[in-house]
Amino acid sequence: MQAQVFVKMENICKTFGNVKANDRINFDVHQGEIHALLGENGAGKSTLMNMLSGIYKPDSGSIQIHGKEVVFNTPKDSIEMGIGMIHQHYRLVEVQTAKENILLGRKGPFFMKGAHVSKDIREIGEKFGLPVDPEKKVYDMSIGEKQAVEILKVLYQGADILIMDEPTAVLTPQETRKLFAILRNMAAQGCAVIIITHKLHEVMEISDRVTVLRKGTTVGTLATKDTNPKALTDLMVGKTVDLAISRPPVERGRVLLEVKDLCAYDMDKVEVLRDISFKLHAGEVLGVAGVAGSGQKELCESIAGLYPVASGQILYEGESLVGNSPRDIIKKGISMSFIPEDRLGMGLVASMDMVDNFLLKEHHNQKGLWLKRKPIAEKCAEIIRRLEIKTPGVHHPVKQLSGGNIQKVLIGREIETNPHVLITAYAVRGLDIGASHTIYDLINEQKEKGVAILFIGEDLDVLLELCDRIMVLSEGAVTGIVRGDKATKEELGLLMAGEDLGMEVAQ
Amino acid sequence: MEGFWNIFQAFSVVLVIGGTPLLFATLGELLTEKAGHLNLGVEGMMLIGAVAGFAAGHFTGSPLLAMGGAFLAGGLGAMIYGFLTVTLRANQVVSGLALTMFGTGISSYLGVNFIGQKMSAEISAFFSPVAIPLLSSIPYVGRVFFRQDPMVYLGYVTVALLGTYLYRTRIGLNLRAVGENPGAADASGINVDLYKYVHIFLGGALCGLGGAYLSVVAVPQWQDGITAGRGWIAIALVIFAGWNPFKAILGAYLFGGLSIIGFYFGNYFSAWNISQNLIDMLPYAVTILVLTASSVRKSKEKGAPKALGVAYYREER
Ligand SMILES: Nc1ncnc2c1ncn2[C@@H]1O[C@H](COP(=O)(O)OP(=O)(O)OP(=O)(O)O)[C@@H](O)[C@H]1O
Ligand SMILES: [Mg+2]
């Protein structure tokens, strides 16, 4: 028997100003299936899903839920039809507890009586393997916990159509595995699950069918078992792409950056960096692996002069950087780009256009009283071309770009300053395959120019393929430095867990 | 010492009366800000309430209609601001300032014929102090807090109601979410605009009551610009109270006291060679101190609602 069709979207169109985000899209989802939605950054995936959840209104086209034609004027209409969406950028009230967030907008007695709700939340949580403390404030939660609250909230609303917009972009591999178990469980119980992800191995692993979007149009819907990552990428991009990451051999130069016995503490006086020592040479990519929160952020910020160093040294060409202002450090040619979990949080001013965001970093180098926008605009246009950024133009507010394109702007700006040392953290977070490879190519290009690169990454496969050496952090300490071409994923995993393998430090 | 104690007790009684208009206005602004809207029109809404209350009392002779009229008028005044900022998404600061100017102007205009007129004796009698059995016989406290006029009691009740509403009911929870993160509230199926309108209205209505307390109960005669800047102090008091209605009552009475301290303790101050000018400065100096001190406060919980002052468009990101 054919499974029931839960969602049917036909000929959906949506334009923002002069951007055609969705153009006659067709999309359907069945009961009990996990359906992946795939597409490059800016292909219109979030837009399509936002129309299903009532956040955006389609310009034209029809939506049928459970076989019934619907028009969603508000998210409320969508919730009432059993649709629950977990957004790319979480929508939670930070100062409220998990329970309060879950109760938002729900019907019930005028006065809130907490006890039975807490019990319900715990019960649903246990049923799906989502342990959430109902009384915990959202601002005290890790990303994984916040996501659990979002999922619980949707389940508590009684949703049987679950939409997840890039849920795994900010999760550790362990957290992803747990999430997938939950999703399978939900599908088994008769829900329909839609998941957006850029990681093809995840698509292969979790989905039953996959729909590919390209530039706002549907390219096709395939059964996952009949396809493979290569074919999907080609469909997504519209041409044949090479998925291998190259590691061009480059004659390593002198030591540019040396960190010696670096220690730092956070606001609660907890040690976040413990005796970190390493050397970074010109013309090499040094990868940094580690479970999220192992000190990666603090390390980057210490080098960039944004985090107080308790003891130890950071030497740039033998000269100490500790105590220098961030601007002096940038002037010396050290550039850092950190892609935070919320992407917009650091480095860019969301409401400004690309030119002004570039100016933020460039204006120190301009002479005279007035800002010169013209040369910068030209530079931006060049970067848009080179990184294939999808934007209507250099004067379009950055926040209106799709998540992935925002990121390309940030990285493009860092590379534009022609640094000697380039620190990039989570550079490909949320980027599509094509864009990720563009970034890897850019990094290799910089390396060939003799730039010393510190590459903080999440995906171990990528680290192993791209980096010359990989330094592993665990709880703020270096547990090993290994060679990219010699080490294995298992070794990295063990080092990340803090085990001492007695391995020699790769020089 | 005996003399000082008597003066202190008398001072405390008046402090509560002086604090009551501030209390209503502070609660009104607090409620508005919980919905994410900074309404700088408090002074204007108080004046609208003051003139409407006075007129209603003057023409109908009914104390309840006087207060009801002030409530409604304050709320309607706020709706001007609400339409501009919720529906048209105009700048909140500018819209609020415009409302203050409008309120000042219209109260002067409508009040021209009332200048110097007193509230009728019946209404004044209705609003004369009532002793609450038992409570009023507690030494000092009873005299200060439980032998006051009905509006002072209404102030206590409003604080308790508002506290319960905000922190114990679903609507209050939803309201706080609207002020903190309208995107999250919207995605949860809450009608964000409706919440904003309702609470902007209620906030303005409370400010209107604060104004009418001055013109109908405390003074009680019509003077041009009768609120004398209290609306601005109320805005500062919301920050002082950390957006908590229970703390608002402390702040309101503290500032009520500061504004009359010179009147009661003038003899002592001159005996200590403290200039009257310094004393008159106190409420404003303390406002500055409080605002400075509270702006360095770091706690996530006691801060302003996160989306305060930011217009919400569903389709924007
Ligand atoms: N609210 C908005 N205002 C203006 N433009 C928008 C808005 N939402 C989306 N867009 C534009 O629509 C296009 C599609 O965006 P969308 O967010 O749907 O992409 P996506 O497929 O989710 O990409 P990503 O993988 O990077 O998240 C982009 O070009 C984006 O700039
Ligand atoms: Mg997206």
Side-chain angles (χ1 to χ4, degrees):
Chain A
M1 197 193 97
Q2 174 83 35
Q4 224 180 319
V5 179
F6 267 25
V7 178
K8 194 171 181 70
M9 299 178 86
E10 278 177 324
N11 285 319
I12 301 284
C13 297
K14 177 77 185 172
T15 31
F16 294 105
N18 47 14
V19 179
K20 228 177 180 153
N22 279 180
D23 187 9
R24 281 169 286 132
I25 293 208
N26 294 306
F27 178 64
D28 64 286
V29 186
H30 301 166
Q31 175 178 29
E33 80 165 334
I34 299 181
H35 197 122
L37 194 54
L38 194 63
E40 294 184 282
N41 297 123
K45 306 177 294 293
S46 298
T47 304
L48 185 68
M49 290 302 108
N50 276 323
M51 284 188 279
L52 201 48
S53 66
I55 303 268
Y56 296 165
K57 269 174 103 166
D59 298 338
S60 64
S62 78
I63 303 176
Q64 288 173 29
I65 305 294
H66 300 305
K68 230 175 73 193
E69 180 88 27
V70 290
V71 176
F72 294 147
N73 288 313
T74 64
K76 191 167 175 232
D77 300 340
S78 157
I79 294 171
E80 278 166 4
M81 290 305 294
I83 297 172
M85 175 156 173
I86 288 138
H87 293 266
Q88 194 162 2
H89 306 279
Y90 294 154
R91 293 185 175 220
L92 292 173
V93 180
E94 293 269 321
V95 297
Q96 294 183 351
T97 62
K99 181 170 86 189
E100 288 173 322
N101 268 285
I102 290 169
L103 279 180
L104 279 187
R106 298 283 65 73
K107 290 200 185 65
F110 183 69
F111 289 100
M112 286 183 291
K113 282 193 247 19
H116 74 274
V117 178
S118 299
K119 208 175 117 243
D120 286 357
I121 292 174
R122 287 216 174 83
E123 265 168 22
I124 303 179
E126 268 160 35
K127 186 164 143 207
F128 289 96
L130 289 160
V132 164
D133 173 4
E135 308 301 334
K136 195 166 177 182
K137 297 269 181 186
V138 172
Y139 61 72
D140 279 332
M141 293 185 183
S142 69
I143 290 286
E145 281 175 292
K146 288 185 191 174
Q147 190 172 65
V149 175
E150 287 264 28
I151 299 175
L152 265 183
K153 179 171 170 173
V154 164
L155 291 172
Y156 190 83
Q157 291 170 355
D160 56 2
I161 299 166
L162 178 73
I163 307 166
M164 302 202 76
D165 195 350
E166 294 194 38
T168 59
V170 293
L171 295 186
T172 61
Q174 292 84 338
E175 287 172 317
T176 303
R177 218 169 304 134
K178 267 198 342 220
L179 174 68
F180 283 0
I182 294 160
L183 295 186
R184 282 201 194 92
N185 192 345
M186 293 181 63
Q189 303 201 17
C191 296
V193 178
I194 304 168
I195 179 169
I196 299 179
T197 174
H198 289 296
K199 299 178 188 161
L200 289 169
H201 66 91
E202 293 181 353
V203 174
M204 299 309 296
E205 182 189 335
I206 186 83
S207 70
D208 301 309
R209 289 194 304 154
V210 45
T211 293
V212 181
L213 300 186
R214 190 198 309 148
K215 300 199 169 100
T217 60
T218 354
V219 190
T221 300
L222 308 158
T224 310
K225 59 179 192 316
D226 299 337
T227 184
N228 59 59
K230 175 87 179 88
L232 285 175
T233 319
D234 293 353
L235 264 183
M236 202 169 91
V237 183
K239 58 178 189 235
T240 314
V241 265
D242 181 10
L243 286 184
I245 304 171
S246 67
R247 175 167 37 214
V250 171
E251 187 69 35
R252 206 165 73 165
R254 63 186 190 288
V255 175
L256 278 186
L257 187 75
E258 180 171 7
V259 172
K260 273 195 212 159
D261 304 322
L262 184 68
C263 291
Y265 298 87
D266 69 3
M267 275 194 303
D268 302 324
K269 304 269 180 306
V270 179
E271 200 167 35
V272 283
L273 293 178
R274 280 186 290 163
D275 297 323
I276 305 252
S277 298
F278 65 90
K279 289 181 179 145
L280 180 60
H281 297 252
E284 84 160 336
V285 179
L286 175 63
V288 177
V291 181
S294 300
Q296 293 97 324
K297 184 171 174 205
E298 290 79 6
L299 177 63
C300 295
E301 293 190 348
S302 305
I303 299 173
L306 297 167
Y307 202 87
V309 171
S311 66
Q313 284 182 304
I314 302 170
L315 303 171
Y316 173 67
E317 303 221 69
E319 204 184 318
S320 175
L321 290 183
V322 178
N324 281 359
S325 72
R327 195 195 287 190
D328 288 338
I329 293 175
I330 293 172
K331 273 212 181 116
K332 287 190 204 298
I334 298 174
S335 153
M336 181 188 78
S337 65
F338 188 97
I339 309 293
E341 282 147 351
D342 64 359
R343 292 184 194 167
L344 272 180
M346 209 178 291
L348 292 175
V349 181
S351 55
M352 299 206 307
D353 66 17
M354 202 171 150
V355 175
D356 282 357
N357 269 299
F358 270 60
L359 261 177
L360 285 179
K361 204 143 188 179
E362 276 278 317
H363 74 269
H364 311 303
N365 305 332
Q366 293 193 350
K367 289 202 176 61
L369 190 57
W370 310 110
L371 294 173
K372 295 178 202 57
R373 283 209 169 72
K374 197 125 182 268
I376 309 266
E378 281 160 13
K379 235 185 237 176
C380 290
E382 161 71 20
I383 286 172
I384 289 176
R385 208 167 44 246
R386 210 149 55 111
L387 303 194
E388 294 168 8
I389 299 174
K390 289 194 187 63
T391 165
V394 293
H395 294 300
H396 203 71
V398 168
K399 69 174 168 193
Q400 287 190 2
L401 305 189
S402 79
N405 283 302
I406 292 175
Q407 224 155 309
K408 291 193 199 169
V409 171
L410 183 54
I411 293 175
R413 187 181 69 181
E414 297 313 311
I415 290 177
E416 189 46 45
T417 56
N418 286 322
H420 301 303
V421 176
L422 179 65
I423 302 167
T424 101
Y426 311 118
V428 297
R429 205 171 236 175
L431 286 191
D432 65 48
I433 297 277
S436 303
H437 279 74
T438 314
I439 301 284
Y440 303 145
D441 291 345
L442 278 169
I443 285 172
N444 279 329
E445 196 180 291
Q446 296 291 312
K447 167 174 147 185
E448 283 168 332
K449 271 170 65 183
V451 175
I453 296 150
L454 193 65
F455 179 87
I456 288 108
E458 287 172 308
D459 190 331
L460 296 183
D461 293 312
V462 171
L463 283 164
L464 285 169
E465 280 185 72
L466 179 72
C467 303
D468 300 299
R469 293 186 299 153
I470 301 163
M471 170 165 82
V472 185
L473 292 181
S474 171
E475 294 182 4
V478 176
T479 46
I481 300 182
V482 297
R483 286 185 54 136
D485 53 0
K486 296 265 168 61
T488 64
K489 234 167 127 174
E490 286 65 41
E491 283 170 348
L492 289 182
L494 289 172
L495 289 170
M496 277 166 69
E499 279 183 47
D500 186 1
L501 302 182
M503 283 165 61
E504 196 182 326
V505 172
Q507 291 301 326
Chain B
M1 214 47 235
E2 179 77 3
F4 181 80
W5 176 245
N6 282 337
I7 295 179
F8 185 73
Q9 183 151 339
F11 163 72
S12 307
V13 171
V14 180
L15 159 165
V16 169
I17 297 171
T20 296
L22 284 175
L23 178 62
F24 281 113
T26 305
L27 294 176
E29 178 66 9
L30 192 150
L31 192 59
T32 309
E33 292 194 12
K34 283 284 181 191
H37 279 247
L38 177 69
N39 188 348
L40 296 184
V42 180
E43 181 82 359
M45 296 183 291
M46 286 180 85
L47 282 167
I48 293 174
V51 76
F54 192 89
H58 184 80
F59 292 120
T60 67
S62 152
L64 293 181
L65 283 182
M67 286 304 158
F71 187 83
L72 205 63
L76 288 178
M79 290 322 266
I80 303 174
Y81 165 88
F83 179 70
L84 289 172
T85 55
V86 179
T87 301
L88 302 183
R89 296 179 175 93
N91 180 300
Q92 297 187 6
V93 171
V94 176
S95 310
L97 290 176
L99 179 57
T100 285
M101 288 186 227
F102 172 74
T104 313
I106 197 152
S107 69
S108 287
Y109 175 71
L110 297 176
V112 141
N113 296 322
F114 299 140
I115 290 183
Q117 299 222 28
K118 275 189 155 20
M119 252 306 97
S120 68
E122 299 88 74
I123 290 187
S124 288
F126 181 88
F127 289 119
S128 60
V130 190
I132 296 197
L134 292 179
L135 288 176
S136 58
S137 44
I138 308 172
Y140 179 71
V141 173
R143 175 74 198 87
V144 173
F145 294 104
F146 301 107
R147 228 175 275 176
Q148 296 280 14
D149 64 68
M151 290 302 285
V152 170
Y153 300 142
L154 183 64
Y156 305 161
V157 173
T158 311
V159 169
L161 280 181
L162 199 59
T164 316
Y165 179 71
L166 286 175
Y167 298 107
R168 295 265 176 274
T169 70
R170 280 172 195 268
I171 302 180
L173 175 71
N174 293 347
L175 171 66
R176 284 182 287 135
V178 167
E180 288 285 341
N181 186 344
D186 195 13
S188 309
I190 294 168
N191 188 339
V192 173
D193 285 3
L194 180 67
Y195 268 79
K196 291 189 162 190
Y197 266 116
V198 167
H199 294 96
I200 287 171
F201 177 87
L202 289 176
L206 286 176
C207 292
L209 276 190
Y213 182 77
L214 289 168
S215 62
V216 177
V217 182
V219 176
Q221 67 176 19
W222 183 253
Q223 297 164 0
D224 197 25
I226 193 166
T227 52
R230 285 181 181 82
W232 299 106
I233 293 190
I235 293 170
L237 277 176
V238 175
I239 304 172
F240 171 84
W243 289 267
N244 177 331
F246 299 107
K247 288 195 192 138
I249 197 167
L250 290 182
Y253 290 168
L254 171 69
F255 277 76
L258 284 174
S259 59
I260 52 166
I261 197 167
F263 189 75
Y264 280 82
F265 297 103
N267 291 339
Y268 291 91
F269 291 130
S270 45
W272 298 328
N273 273 327
I274 300 176
S275 147
Q276 180 65 33
N277 292 336
L278 274 179
I279 306 302
D280 290 344
M281 230 170 68
L282 266 179
Y284 307 99
V286 174
T287 307
I288 293 174
L289 281 180
V290 160
L291 290 186
T292 314
S294 50
S295 62
V296 298
R297 191 163 46 186
K298 283 265 157 48
S299 157
K300 288 195 168 97
E301 310 258 333
K302 291 182 195 121
K306 265 230 200 62
L308 184 62
V310 189
Y312 175 66
Y313 303 77
R314 179 180 294 151
E315 297 217 352
E316 165 150 333
R317 55 162 170 198

